[in-house]
Amino acid sequence: MLNQIQGLHHVTSLASAAQENNDFFTKVLGLRRVKKTVNFDAPEVYHLYYGDETGSPGTVMTYFPFPRAARGRPGTGEVGTTAFSVPKGALDWWQDRLSTFDVKGLHRETRFGDSRLRFDGPDGDGFALVEVDGDARTPWTGGGVPEAVAIRGFHSTDMRLRDIGASTELLRFMGYETLETEGNITRLHVPGGNQANVIDLTEVSAGPAAQGAGSVHHVAFAVENRAKQLEVRKALMDTGYQVTPVIDRDYFWAIYFRSPGGVLFEVATNEPGFDRDEDTAHLGQALRLPSQHEHLRDVLVKQYLEPLDD
């Protein structure tokens, strides 16, 4: 069993409109845009990152907003819900706020004793706010959300699978432990992780999901550094998984592999962080391009990347 995984690092999804996506996360949810860059493989498309003040691992939601992309089709083999942690007693405030912004899909529920508020993102993305007692992470308050109710970072992701057996075995190998089961949902966590250390596996009878706007593209797990990442890569390959070589993503190094349930997993390093090319005070303001795409800056700005209002 591995002991290098600390919990979630980031979650990356697809969207259909960059400005709408930016406004939802910064003006509605009150997160900070910590990086404005482009998709490494499709530089004509933004890659936008939202999180706490510095983009700490376990707080960062990222998006590829492909203009006018068709919506995804929900199903199995995907992350159905991404949940954020908020303080105890915050859900009434959030329900009022999200209603004011006409956010769709608002629904209160209880899972494993936790109070949750479900809601939809602009492309039908599945989200939840979960009340957590004692989450000591410092929230970003520059987006107008008071500290007493602000999002602390991720709580969990909920993966919808036809059969959770093989994915449960993989997560246990990655250092997760099963906490409990409630109906068709099994909860696992990393003991002593980074507070974004919960994964829910929901077993459902449905057809396979089709990715599109509103779909999660991949879920990334955090390791401290490149040495730990290489240990994880070797162990996964020794177990039979097909894992990519290490890829430099400028703000972290990444490896990828497909989980048995169909969800794309990434293992990302906490280093070097989002301040490697911008100081903390100005994170997310300027368009940062990967070095291999810098020569395309004029073309990208003039023809493809719409200006984004902060």
Side-chain angles (χ1 to χ4, degrees):
M1 186 177 73
L2 301 176
N3 60 12
Q4 299 89 343
I5 304 292
Q6 300 174 336
L8 296 175
H9 185 282
H10 65 269
V11 176
T12 295
S13 294
L14 307 175
S16 62
Q19 187 66 63
E20 181 182 41
N21 181 260
N22 181 87
D23 290 349
F24 182 76
F25 283 93
T26 62
K27 297 177 182 178
V28 179
L29 297 187
L31 299 180
R32 185 183 195 188
R33 191 179 73 207
V34 294
K35 196 61 59 180
K36 180 170 66 171
T37 183
V38 296
N39 186 317
F40 272 75
D41 302 315
E44 69 278 5
V45 176
Y46 276 120
H47 193 177
L48 304 175
Y49 294 75
Y50 312 99
D52 67 3
E53 181 179 14
T54 61
S56 303
T59 74
V60 180
M61 191 82 203
T62 100
Y63 271 86
F64 302 134
F66 287 86
R68 298 171 297 281
R71 282 201 178 184
R73 183 185 68 236
T76 56
E78 69 169 352
V79 172
T81 304
T82 302
F84 299 96
S85 168
V86 297
K88 284 280 191 180
L91 289 189
D92 287 343
W93 187 93
W94 276 106
Q95 186 158 359
D96 289 344
R97 180 177 180 83
L98 297 180
S99 297
T100 298
F101 282 97
D102 197 29
V103 171
K104 306 301 183 186
L106 290 173
H107 174 69
R108 296 283 282 266
E109 64 183 12
T110 301
R111 179 182 291 192
F112 297 108
D114 297 328
S115 296
R116 296 162 55 98
L117 176 63
R118 295 280 301 273
F119 61 99
D120 296 338
D123 289 297
D125 331 37
F127 293 114
L129 299 173
V130 182
E131 289 191 345
V132 176
D133 191 15
D135 189 333
R137 290 177 288 181
T138 302
W140 171 247
T141 56
V145 176
E147 181 175 359
V149 295
I151 289 171
R152 267 48 183 173
F154 292 126
H155 172 271
S156 59
T157 60
D158 184 352
M159 302 182 192
R160 291 194 297 238
L161 309 173
R162 287 188 63 85
D163 185 337
I164 69 168
S167 293
T168 300
E169 183 178 345
L170 168 61
L171 287 167
R172 286 175 177 163
F173 179 71
M174 293 170 61
Y176 281 77
E177 296 180 358
T178 301
L179 283 177
E180 53 187 322
T181 297
E182 183 177 273
N184 63 333
I185 305 170
T186 296
R187 171 160 291 180
L188 301 96
H189 82 134
V190 175
N194 63 5
Q195 295 191 277
N197 59 347
V198 174
I199 298 289
D200 286 346
L201 301 180
T202 300
E203 197 164 66
V204 294
S205 297
Q211 284 203 340
S215 301
V216 170
H217 184 269
H218 63 266
V219 56
F221 298 86
V223 292
E224 186 62 33
N225 52 43
R226 296 181 71 185
K228 299 293 186 184
Q229 183 184 63
L230 289 174
E231 293 171 3
V232 172
R233 182 175 187 271
K234 182 179 185 305
L236 288 168
M237 293 182 70
D238 288 347
T239 309
Y241 286 94
Q242 300 297 311
V243 187
T244 67
V246 176
I247 302 172
D248 183 356
R249 295 303 194 195
D250 282 355
Y251 311 108
F252 47 86
W253 284 272
I255 57 175
Y256 302 87
F257 65 103
R258 187 71 61 177
S259 69
V263 179
L264 181 61
F265 280 8
E266 175 183 344
V267 178
T269 61
N270 293 347
E271 59 179 6
F274 292 100
D275 60 355
R276 69 173 295 271
D277 57 3
E278 293 180 296
D279 64 84
T280 300
H282 299 95
L283 287 179
Q285 294 182 9
L287 174 64
R288 313 303 301 188
L289 295 179
S291 58
Q292 62 267 43
H293 298 319
E294 187 60 53
H295 69 286
L296 299 173
R297 178 177 289 271
D298 288 346
V299 173
L300 294 175
V301 170
K302 290 177 182 178
Q303 297 186 24
Y304 296 102
L305 302 175
E306 63 179 281
L308 288 182
D309 298 332
D310 292 336

